[in-house]
Amino acid sequence: MEGGSITLPRMGKGASATQTIAKIIGPTELRLKNPFPSSAAEQLSPTIDGKITGSNFKVAPHIDQSRMFEAVFHELLSNGCVGIFPEGGSHDRPNLLPLKPGAAIIALALLARDPDCGLTIIPCGLNYFHAHKFRSRAVVEFGHPIQVHPDQIEAYRCGGNEKRNAVGSLLETIHDGLASVTQLSPDYETLQLIQASRRLYMSANKKMPLSLVVDFNRRLLQGYSRYEDDIRVVNAKKSVLDYNRRLRALGIKDHQVEWGDVKHRPWWLILLILLSRISGLALLAIGTLPGLILFWPVFVTAKAISVQKQRKALAASEVKIQARDIVSTWKILVAMGLAPLLYVWYTAIATTWLYHNRHDGFYTSYLPRRMNASIYVPNYVPLWMFMVCLFALMIVLTFAALRTGEIGMDVIKSLPPLLVALNPRSASSLLKLREHRQALSGQVTDLINKLGPEVFPDFDSERVVEDTSLTDIFQSRLKSMPPSRPGSRSRSQASSPGIGSLSHNTSIQPLSPLEQHNSLMEVNRKIRDAMQKRGRERIKSRLGDDYSDEGI
């Protein structure tokens, strides 16, 4: 249908191509609003012996979402709550994907039907610290309510471009609300820079609750986005990134640099701590061994399948960076499916063997006495009770193995700084790095204390306080939205806040469909001339004053 889309699959490392249908000319012919790239267009017209053979295709059926909307409206009108993930998919980027308009459409459609229903939008931020690791920490933060303006409701009722403006402006407000409860960073390097700066800031050295850590990181991101071109911030960024590289070179974390304090941590004390931790690690290994032996099929299978799914997701997705969300999801799914089966299998084998021993089975008298299950389980214990208790024991052993394994990994991660401090070749490097950290911490602290009051009126250099600059309510406003364009979700493109983001730095004009062949030739000529001009400018910038057009 007109206004529908045609999507071509990815070829190699390139992105998939999507174009909008402008007009249906006939049963075998249609016109697109914009042409496909030449590499993608070749998929539409494969040839054999010089003859165009055509391409196989699939048609995505029209989905009637009226039942879904009615169910959502019924729940909301019954004083219920509906959770929506407006990005429309999972990813592991440090920023938001362009938001889908579903949340805004639901809110406006319900308020257009019943303006007095009292609907309110509550932004909810999920902030993970190690999302791909089991039992990792997370902070769930709720923002201030978002209220829809009556002008937006009226514009939605009018339909057409007014309806589009209402949806776009409300979606922009929703994005601002989500930004207030999440840590949005343009890339991982910036996020690592902010986290390192927070650790180096002297007022933040004390243990902070996770919610305050998230809020402080968010404030640093806002300040950095405002002053990132300031020469003081640029120099501090170079110093912090260099400090991170030196940490990676030694194989330690920021909080482990204190092991270079030879005054309070002499070598003999470090050696005793190292020996005690190795002894504790050995005890933990003994405690983990039974669970590891019993449940290694779950661990190995979950690892293998999650890695396989991770590779497929990275090959098929344009937004995932490492696909850690896929790794976490499939580890949980495999464990939920395979672990109970393994519990049933072990319980069935043990119960069968107990029944066999109680009835003096054939092998009972030939095997050593310690392998006779009836010795450990009295005859007055019924088999069904043994099965239930053994199944419960399997669950306890699994959790104990996971918990002791987590503690063991923490102990293993604490060993590198001890080894570095005891190594004569690297001990001096650790000592110098500690001194460098102290100087860098002072530099970062002074810079934040100078720039902080300019960004946040309630900034306090003596203590870290939660952000109170936001109002109690996000009041959305109706505004005219620029013409939309097909959004890209490629890995290299920074996240945009959705429809509303286009109004800040983008000037987009709608393209008219090409009606004549001469028009297409004219566009191709202009594109070719522009590319040649860009190439000459690039060469000129490289060669400087020695450049001349005569040699081109």
Side-chain angles (χ1 to χ4, degrees), residues 204-486:
N205 280 344
K206 295 182 179 180
K207 189 70 174 178
M208 292 190 297
L210 294 182
S211 59
L212 198 57
V213 170
V214 173
D215 187 74
F216 192 66
N217 285 345
R218 186 162 51 240
R219 285 191 167 206
L220 289 177
L221 281 166
Q222 294 177 21
Y224 175 76
S225 63
R226 180 173 176 178
Y227 293 102
E228 60 180 328
D229 296 327
D230 190 299
I231 187 62
R232 295 169 295 177
V233 176
V234 172
N235 292 333
K237 176 181 178 180
K238 292 180 180 179
S239 300
V240 173
L241 294 179
D242 178 68
Y243 172 69
N244 283 342
R245 284 190 290 269
R246 294 175 66 177
L247 286 175
R248 290 193 295 269
L250 286 178
I252 61 176
K253 302 296 183 181
D254 174 72
H255 65 277
Q256 297 173 332
V257 175
E258 288 303 314
W259 288 103
D261 185 5
V262 295
K263 181 178 179 180
H264 297 90
R265 291 183 172 94
W267 68 268
W268 56 267
L269 178 61
I270 297 177
L271 180 60
L272 289 177
I273 295 175
L274 176 64
L275 295 177
S276 65
R277 291 186 179 180
I278 292 177
S279 302
L281 187 62
L283 295 176
L284 289 172
I286 296 174
T288 310
L289 194 59
L292 186 62
I293 293 175
L294 288 173
F295 306 110
W296 68 265
V298 177
F299 302 142
V300 174
T301 306
K303 177 69 173 179
I305 293 179
S306 62
V307 170
Q308 181 183 12
K309 296 295 183 179
Q310 179 188 29
R311 293 172 180 171
K312 289 183 178 180
L314 286 173
S317 174
E318 298 177 15
V319 301
K320 298 184 186 299
I321 298 177
Q322 294 179 320
R324 288 182 169 179
D325 55 323
I326 299 297
V327 173
S328 305
T329 300
W330 278 98
K331 281 184 176 179
I332 293 175
L333 291 177
V334 172
M336 289 175 61
L338 188 57
L341 293 178
L342 202 61
Y343 299 158
V344 172
W345 172 250
Y346 287 148
T347 302
I349 291 177
T351 305
T352 303
W353 183 245
L354 176 61
Y355 178 83
H356 186 77
N357 293 155
R358 283 183 176 181
H359 293 78
D360 295 327
F362 179 76
Y363 294 102
T364 303
S365 57
Y366 292 96
L367 294 176
R369 179 176 174 79
R370 65 177 179 274
M371 296 184 65
N372 191 332
S374 59
I375 298 176
Y376 308 102
V377 183
N379 291 331
Y380 60 81
V381 177
L383 289 178
W384 67 266
M385 183 178 293
F386 171 76
M387 293 173 61
V388 172
C389 294
L390 183 60
F391 193 89
L393 179 62
M394 294 292 176
I395 299 176
V396 173
L397 284 176
T398 303
F399 182 79
L402 289 173
R403 191 71 187 98
T404 53
E406 290 175 1
I407 299 174
M409 289 302 301
D410 291 338
V411 174
I412 292 176
K413 291 177 183 178
S414 69
L415 297 181
L418 303 179
L419 298 175
V420 170
L422 291 174
N423 188 349
R425 296 182 178 180
S426 57
S428 59
S429 299
L430 183 59
L431 178 61
K432 293 178 181 179
L433 186 60
R434 180 177 178 273
E435 296 173 352
H436 176 69
R437 187 195 187 281
Q438 292 176 342
L440 182 59
S441 177
Q443 177 187 353
V444 171
T445 301
D446 292 340
L447 182 59
I448 293 177
N449 289 340
K450 288 180 181 178
L451 300 180
E454 300 179 16
V455 183
F456 302 100
D458 62 340
F459 180 83
D460 189 349
S461 60
E462 299 298 327
R463 60 190 182 95
V464 179
V465 296
E466 293 189 17
D467 188 5
T468 58
S469 60
L470 298 175
T471 58
D472 292 336
I473 294 177
F474 276 112
Q475 179 63 65
S476 186
R477 300 289 181 182
L478 178 64
K479 62 175 68 175
S480 297
M481 308 305 295
S484 61
R485 64 174 178 177

Side-chain angles (χ1 to χ4, degrees), residues 174-188:
I174 293 174
H175 178 274
D176 294 340
L178 291 175
S180 69
V181 292
T182 52
Q183 306 174 77
L184 302 185
S185 174
D187 49 57
Y188 272 112

Side-chain angles (χ1 to χ4, degrees), residues 74-271:
H74 176 74
E75 180 68 20
L76 293 174
L77 291 174
S78 302
N79 295 324
C81 179
V82 177
I84 298 176
F85 290 85
E87 293 178 276
S90 65
H91 62 94
D92 54 352
R93 301 170 70 95
N95 45 33
L96 293 177
L97 297 177
L99 304 185
K100 301 290 187 179
I105 293 174
I106 290 173
L108 289 168
L110 181 59
L111 289 170
R113 174 187 295 188
D114 185 359
D116 300 324
C117 65
L119 181 137
T120 303
I121 303 172
I122 307 295
C124 179
L126 304 178
N127 299 277
Y128 299 97
F129 289 83
H130 300 285
H132 63 293
K133 295 183 179 180
F134 184 67
R135 285 171 49 82
S136 60
R137 301 178 299 171
V139 173
V140 181
E141 189 171 356
F142 295 94
H144 297 297
I146 297 176
Q147 289 187 351
V148 182
H149 198 278
D151 292 345
Q152 292 174 316
I153 302 173
E154 188 62 31
Y156 183 85
R157 288 196 184 104
C158 294
N161 192 57
E162 291 297 319
K163 177 179 179 180
R164 179 182 173 279
N165 290 337
V167 174
S169 57
L170 179 56
L171 197 64
E172 186 179 73
T173 307
I174 293 174
H175 178 274
D176 294 340
L178 291 175
S180 69
V181 292
T182 52
Q183 306 174 77
L184 302 185
S185 174
D187 49 57
Y188 272 112
E189 183 183 67
T190 302
L191 185 59
Q192 292 174 351
L193 171 68
I194 294 302
Q195 292 173 343
S197 300
R198 187 251 308 160
R199 291 189 295 265
L200 291 168
Y201 186 57
M202 288 184 177
S203 296
N205 280 344
K206 295 182 179 180
K207 189 70 174 178
M208 292 190 297
L210 294 182
S211 59
L212 198 57
V213 170
V214 173
D215 187 74
F216 192 66
N217 285 345
R218 186 162 51 240
R219 285 191 167 206
L220 289 177
L221 281 166
Q222 294 177 21
Y224 175 76
S225 63
R226 180 173 176 178
Y227 293 102
E228 60 180 328
D229 296 327
D230 190 299
I231 187 62
R232 295 169 295 177
V233 176
V234 172
N235 292 333
K237 176 181 178 180
K238 292 180 180 179
S239 300
V240 173
L241 294 179
D242 178 68
Y243 172 69
N244 283 342
R245 284 190 290 269
R246 294 175 66 177
L247 286 175
R248 290 193 295 269
L250 286 178
I252 61 176
K253 302 296 183 181
D254 174 72
H255 65 277
Q256 297 173 332
V257 175
E258 288 303 314
W259 288 103
D261 185 5
V262 295
K263 181 178 179 180
H264 297 90
R265 291 183 172 94
W267 68 268
W268 56 267
L269 178 61
I270 297 177
L271 180 60

